[in-house]
Amino acid sequence: MRSFQNGRLVILLLSGIGVGTGSRPAAAQQAVPAVSESVRLSLSQTIQLALQGSQSRAAEERVMAAGFDRQAVSARRLPTAGLDLSAIGTSDPVGAFGTRLRQERFTQSDFELSALNSPSPIGDLAGSAGVRWTLFDRSIGSEIAVSSALLDGAVATRARVQELTVFRARLLYIGVNHASAALLAAEAGVEAASRLLGQVESRLEQGMAIEADRLRVQSELASLEAARHQANAAHEIAKESLRAFLGVPSGTELELSDPIEAVDQALSLIDMGLEDSGIEGRADLEAARATLEAADARTDGVRGQRLPVVEAFAGVSAHSWSSNLGASWTGGIRLSVPVFTGGAVSRQVESASARTRAGRIELTQRVRDAESEVLRARIQRDAAIAAHRSVQLSEAAAREAARLISARYGVGMTTLAELLQAEAALVNARRATAGRMAEVAMSRAELLFVVGKSTEAPNQDSSRKDR
């Protein structure tokens, strides 16, 4: 079972999007109980609480940011208007001459050489309003396409973050259930050994057993008690991991309302509809495709730098101390044509094209890896189901064998060694059953994640397949 637990730990640590385990969202903090209280959680409640975590909220903020970016880029197609106000004073000959001209304040004396060369200081209050409108710029359309693709990618990434959050919540919930079952198996072993010790002591008083028998049972009981302590520690660690993931205070006692069998049944109701499902629509692959679309749009935008830009503009200005406020207007159309860029645009196009080709190659490999993940997950799920059926039969056989050998020992027809061996086999079978049941549930959860259906709800109307 240690290799099983380590394997699941690797899955948690190496999942594609790193969801923080220490998140304590505000909404979750309001919902969780105070320290030392107890909270009873179903799997669905655990998932809902996990989805309020910081990673999900951060993904939502990224979607909002990408949406605002797209709106900002789209606004470049609209005209812009501006207003300028200024107050100046100058004795510069050129500035003074222009200011008097705009203010219509010239007199005959202002044209004397001394007045032109050394004018008196003059002040001016001016205001201007202008409008600019880009009529044609290929780069704007490309930037809008880039921002749209990045928005799609942010939405897909948010979906994948939610899928990963649900996947991890299920694994941790199943882990607590598995630890609880392992602890119950260990406690059952201690109880059986304690009963056997009492039986041996009774037989020792009757002269039907020897001191070595009692010492052997005491040794076995001590080993089982040590195993129970280990199982209890593993149970507490599993609960603390779930508490930390959900942002629940460490002193809160967690009680799980859904046993592992119910969890597996809920997962199987989703799983049974995915037998022929592939990776179509998997959110992380959709995010990668959106990134590739953004790269294509950037390449198109770089090519657009070779095209002219057409801009319309108009403005009106007014100055103080003039009979009509010195009002004047300007308007026109500006055409900007890149004639020679020293080959910079061509090199930028080649660079952008190379990055796009690299992204396409990486996407192809990611699709292959995802298909392989689905195949491996299905193999692991089927193997886990088969192994669980086998250990169920093994546990039933071990339980019946322990019962028969205990009855035979009671009438002196078998040895203590055989009875201890049968009890140990039953304890191991119980542990194996708990572990294999957890493996089945976790393998189903993993399959849902790699297919991209972690957030699917169970179909309660479906009949369960016999696996």
Side-chain angles (χ1 to χ4, degrees):
M1 291 305 299
R2 185 176 298 276
S3 61
F4 155 71
Q5 294 172 351
N6 290 341
R8 296 300 170 188
L9 181 60
V10 170
I11 292 175
L12 289 176
L13 294 178
L14 298 183
S15 296
I17 309 172
V19 175
T21 59
S23 60
R24 294 197 176 191
Q29 289 177 341
Q30 296 173 0
V32 297
V35 175
S36 77
E37 290 188 3
S38 177
V39 59
R40 186 174 179 84
L41 292 174
S42 65
L43 178 58
S44 62
Q45 291 171 331
T46 300
I47 290 174
Q48 291 173 5
L49 192 58
L51 288 174
Q52 298 174 7
S54 60
Q55 290 297 323
S56 294
R57 291 185 291 117
E60 184 64 34
E61 293 295 333
R62 292 189 184 96
V63 171
M64 293 180 62
F68 290 136
D69 288 341
R70 188 189 185 286
Q71 294 174 11
V73 173
S74 299
R76 291 185 57 191
R77 283 180 167 170
L78 302 176
T80 60
L83 177 65
D84 291 326
L85 297 175
S86 62
I88 65 171
T90 182
S91 63
D92 176 71
V94 176
F97 187 89
T99 300
R100 289 180 184 277
L101 181 63
R102 284 189 292 268
Q103 293 180 352
E104 302 177 0
R105 294 176 59 184
F106 274 117
T107 63
Q108 187 66 35
S109 61
D110 293 325
F111 287 94
E112 295 180 0
L113 290 179
S114 59
L116 292 174
N117 292 327
S118 301
S120 301
I122 187 172
D124 186 32
L125 296 176
S128 64
V131 177
R132 291 180 178 273
W133 193 358
T134 301
L135 302 179
F136 177 80
D137 187 347
R138 179 69 173 273
S139 65
I140 296 179
S142 300
E143 290 178 11
I144 292 176
V146 170
S147 61
S148 297
L150 293 179
L151 175 58
D152 293 340
V155 172
T157 299
R158 176 184 61 186
R160 192 58 173 171
V161 168
Q162 292 173 346
E163 289 175 359
L164 179 59
T165 301
V166 172
F167 173 53
R168 295 195 64 188
R170 284 170 175 163
L171 288 189
L172 291 171
Y173 196 94
I174 294 168
V176 174
N177 262 317
H178 169 230
S180 299
L183 179 59
L184 290 176
E187 290 174 344
V190 171
E191 292 176 1
S194 299
R195 289 194 302 269
L196 180 58
L197 179 60
Q199 187 177 359
V200 169
E201 288 177 343
S202 176
R203 291 171 63 88
L204 184 61
E205 293 175 356
Q206 298 173 7
M208 299 176 62
I210 60 177
E211 181 65 18
D213 293 337
R214 185 168 67 87
L215 293 175
R216 185 178 299 174
V217 176
Q218 287 178 338
S219 175
E220 181 66 18
L221 177 59
S223 298
L224 291 172
E225 287 177 341
R228 180 181 62 181
H229 290 311
Q230 291 179 342
N232 184 64
H235 185 227
E236 291 300 322
I237 290 173
K239 289 194 295 184
E240 179 57 30
S241 297
L242 182 57
R243 280 192 291 261
F245 182 69
L246 299 178
V248 175
S250 296
T252 303
E253 181 61 31
L254 290 183
E255 297 180 10
L256 306 188
S257 60
D258 292 338
I260 195 167
E261 292 80 9
V263 174
D264 179 64
Q265 182 179 9
L267 293 175
S268 68
L269 290 175
I270 309 173
D271 179 19
M272 63 188 299
L274 303 177
E275 194 60 37
D276 299 325
S277 296
I279 56 173
E280 296 82 6
R282 205 173 95 167
D284 58 330
L285 298 180
E286 291 301 313
R289 291 187 180 97
T291 301
L292 184 58
E293 291 177 6
D296 284 330
R298 286 193 182 97
T299 303
D300 185 65
V302 174
R303 291 193 182 99
Q305 294 179 14
R306 295 169 172 161
L307 301 177
V309 176
V310 181
E311 181 185 56
F313 60 92
V316 62
S317 61
H319 299 267
S320 60
W321 295 299
S322 61
S323 59
N324 60 354
L325 293 179
S328 60
W329 62 270
T330 304
I333 294 179
R334 180 180 295 111
L335 175 65
S336 301
V337 181
V339 178
F340 178 70
T341 61
V345 174
S346 298
R347 301 288 79 79
Q348 290 174 2
V349 170
E350 292 298 330
S351 174
S353 299
R355 288 189 174 90
T356 301
R357 292 193 297 271
R360 189 167 287 108
I361 293 171
E362 291 172 351
L363 176 59
T364 300
Q365 186 59 47
R366 290 187 66 175
V367 171
R368 291 173 181 168
D369 292 342
E371 291 172 345
S372 178
E373 288 174 358
V374 172
L375 179 59
R376 294 197 304 269
R378 285 202 170 100
I379 293 174
Q380 291 172 355
R381 179 206 58 188
D382 294 341
I385 292 173
H388 179 241
R389 288 173 176 169
S390 297
V391 296
Q392 281 182 313
L393 296 176
S394 175
E395 181 186 357
R399 184 180 296 107
E400 181 63 16
R403 186 188 67 81
L404 293 176
I405 293 176
S406 178
R408 287 170 60 85
Y409 180 76
V411 296
M413 296 180 63
T414 189
T415 65
L416 178 61
E418 290 181 351
L419 179 56
L420 289 176
Q421 185 177 5
E423 291 291 346
L426 178 57
V427 170
N428 291 334
R430 285 170 175 165
R431 291 173 181 168
T433 300
R436 295 301 183 183
M437 183 72 256
E439 277 190 350
V440 171
M442 287 187 173
S443 64
R444 293 191 196 277
E446 184 177 349
L447 177 58
L448 295 179
F449 177 68
V450 298
V451 172
K453 299 295 189 294
S454 284
T455 55
E456 292 283 337
N459 183 2
Q460 301 295 343
D461 296 329
S462 301
S463 60
R464 188 175 181 183
K465 288 184 178 180
D466 183 19
R467 294 193 176 278

